[in-house]
Amino acid sequence: MRYSPKEMLAKLVSFNTESWRSNLELIHFCRDYLAAHGVESTIVPSPDGEKANLYATVGPQAAGGIVLSGHTDVVPVEGQDWSSDPWTLTERDGKLYGRGSCDMKGFDAIALALVPEMLEAGLKRPFHIALSYDEEVGCIGAAIMIDAMAAAGLKPSAVIVGEPSMMQVVTGHKGGTRMKTTVRGHAVHSSRVDIGVPAVMVAGKLIAWHDDVMQENKAKVQPGIAFEPPYSTLHVGVVEGGTAVNITAEHCTFSHEVRVMPGDDADYVARYRAKIAELEAPMKAIAPETGITMEITSQTPPLAPEKEGAAETLSRRVTGDNASHVVAYGTEGGLFQAAGWSTVVCGPGDIAQAHQPDEFLTVAQLDAGTAFVRALIAELAR
């Protein structure tokens, strides 16, 4: 069966692939769709088997092809006020509404819908369609998938990550490290806080450290940096702890992140571990069972501009975009680049729509993305 990009987008949006859910139903649909066109897929499951990546080669088994990379998970809709069903693609006034329509099932839909055209074009070099899970929680699936692709001997000349960039060629973005810290305190009545170890107050010092370091980075900004903001950022997003106002908290846990500029070689994790050690010593002097543990939950490297990079050269030639673009958000692009593959970000849609209620992709951007991939088909058929 053939789908137009809009029809394929409607199909992909219909699968609820919020990051806390399985994406297997969507992955199996993609596998079966590709198989119906004679294209074999490789499934790369998550360690628990609840989710999976998929990659497939369309065209000859040859070096020098192009990876079209996209993620299949979307952020949750809970608590958001939608005007229409987020799992039913709805067109209004030239906009296609649905969760993931912009971020980033629009690009996925284009890549899949144009498979028949790829097969009919007489490709001299292949496309590799790469669909990952859990991008929204730290590019977890992509890391496993890229390892599998490299182990299979794939040697593409360019990787296009189709995150929403309004079809501008993005050559740089920040990297990210996500962490979870747990403070184990010693509970006593708050009137004797001097002999207790209040986990929440200790956590507060660690949380304040994040802002202190970020302000240091902000103060050192040099002119001419295109990123917004033009420095590495540190942020704490979730805090949980304590039982009552008159008890020194026995536990406090918080989730936090660092988003690092390309070229920033500061070891924030090492600095943070040093801060932990500084605070732990007086805690243990009061109660030896207390302490602080930190685990890294995900790490994604930054994407750095490449000198005469093949992906950038190709994408600029096809799009006509010769300006320099960087973005603050992260993608799996840094992982592909770290694997030694030339990479850019270029896809349909406006990142401002991502994660929002009534998320949408304009028909014009879907058409622009379709024209872009069709131009890439022509490139690989030469």
Side-chain angles (χ1 to χ4, degrees), residues 52-127:
N53 306 291
L54 176 151
Y55 70 87
T57 297
V58 184
Q61 297 291 333
I66 298 173
V67 174
L68 302 178
S69 175
H71 61 82
T72 61
D73 61 316
V74 297
V75 296
V77 299
E78 184 179 359
Q80 294 187 336
D81 185 15
W82 283 72
S83 301
S84 54
D85 179 10
W87 313 114
T88 301
L89 192 70
T90 305
E91 184 172 355
R92 299 192 300 271
D93 301 322
K95 298 174 181 177
L96 301 167
Y97 291 88
R99 173 54 89 221
S101 58
C102 177
D103 184 20
M104 61 172 295
K105 291 180 177 178
F107 183 78
D108 298 346
I110 293 167
L112 291 166
L114 296 188
V115 165
E117 295 184 29
M118 296 174 188
L119 294 170
E120 294 162 358
L123 299 177
K124 304 297 190 299
R125 290 167 290 158
F127 282 99

Side-chain angles (χ1 to χ4, degrees), residues 180-184 251-254 272 291-295:
K180 184 177 182 179
T181 293
T182 300
V183 181
R184 303 182 307 280
H251 291 94
C252 186
T253 299
F254 58 94
Y272 182 62
I292 305 168
T293 56
M294 184 274 285
E295 62 174 316

Side-chain angles (χ1 to χ4, degrees), residues 171-175 227 232 260-265 302-305 326-327:
T171 58
H173 65 61
K174 295 181 180 181
F227 282 95
S232 297
V260 182
M261 296 267 293
D264 182 349
D265 58 1
L303 177 71
V326 297
V327 293

Side-chain angles (χ1 to χ4, degrees), residues 28 43 55 70 142 144 172 174 231 235 246 257 283-284 299 310 321 356 364:
H28 292 163
I43 303 294
Y55 70 87
I144 299 171
K174 295 181 180 181
Y231 49 86
H235 173 253
N246 61 345
E257 66 175 16
M283 292 169 61
K284 289 185 175 296
Q299 281 187 299
D321 177 18
Q356 300 302 308

Side-chain angles (χ1 to χ4, degrees), residues 194-207:
D194 59 310
I195 59 171
V197 178
V200 168
M201 294 182 69
V202 174
K205 295 177 182 179
L206 290 170
I207 292 169

